[in-house]
């Protein structure tokens, strides 16, 4: 069975990129014990001073959707909303394998 992966971009107000990075790293920390989330990477681009990219891999799309209802996630969303000027879902992917994910199939 394929995993559900998501590559997204947050655009934030001028000077708020580090704030957004820290909020997303809090989100990553809150997901450490959630087995359904296998990868949550926060990235920045040297050429975009107001953008933060997130790559996520989940056991299923449903698991990702369920995570959005967690109280911790809702709290982080409330804190991030004032600085976000745009959000894009750049792509959703079906991860088939590779380095960095479990070698077992579900």
């Amino acid at each position: 069975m394929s995993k559900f992966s998501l590559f997204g971009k947050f655009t934030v107000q001028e000077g708020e990129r580090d704030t957004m990075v820290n909020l997303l790293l809090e989100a990553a920390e809150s997901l450490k014990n959630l087995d359904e989330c296998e990868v949550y990477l926060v990235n920045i681009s040297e050429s975009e001073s107001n953008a933060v990219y997130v790559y996520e891999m989940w056991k299923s799309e449903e698991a990702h959707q369920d995570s959005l209802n967690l109280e911790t996630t809702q709290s982080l969303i409330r804190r991030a909303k004032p600085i976000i000027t745009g959000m894009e879902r750049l792509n959703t992917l079906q991860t088939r394998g590779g380095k960095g994910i479990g070698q077992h199939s579900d």
Side-chain angles (χ1 to χ4, degrees):
M1 179 182 203
S2 299
K3 312 283 186 188
F4 173 75
S5 298
L6 173 64
F7 188 51
K9 176 182 178 182
F10 293 94
T11 306
V12 297
Q13 294 173 5
E14 186 70 37
E16 294 290 352
R17 182 172 74 177
D18 288 345
T19 301
M20 190 66 185
V21 165
N22 289 332
L23 287 168
L24 292 169
L25 289 174
E26 274 188 57
E29 184 67 28
S30 76
L31 297 171
K32 280 194 174 184
N33 295 320
L34 189 64
D35 290 339
E36 293 81 11
C37 180
E38 297 189 8
V39 176
Y40 192 95
L41 301 175
V42 179
N43 309 272
I44 59 171
S45 167
E46 291 180 10
S47 65
E48 296 176 276
S49 63
N50 295 324
V52 182
Y53 292 84
V54 177
Y55 174 74
E56 305 173 50
M57 185 173 58
W58 295 82
K59 290 191 184 273
S60 68
E61 187 170 2
E62 294 77 26
H64 172 259
Q65 288 300 322
D66 290 346
S67 75
L68 298 175
N69 295 318
L70 297 171
E71 180 52 41
T72 304
T73 305
Q74 287 295 310
S75 174
L76 288 165
I77 290 170
R78 284 190 297 274
R79 290 169 53 203
K81 272 187 177 183
I83 64 169
I84 295 172
T85 60
M87 289 176 27
E88 295 176 65
R89 182 178 278 201
L90 300 176
N91 215 337
T92 56
L93 309 163
Q94 291 183 1
T95 302
R96 300 300 174 115
K99 183 177 177 175
I101 63 171
Q103 299 301 313
H104 62 309
S105 59
D106 293 326

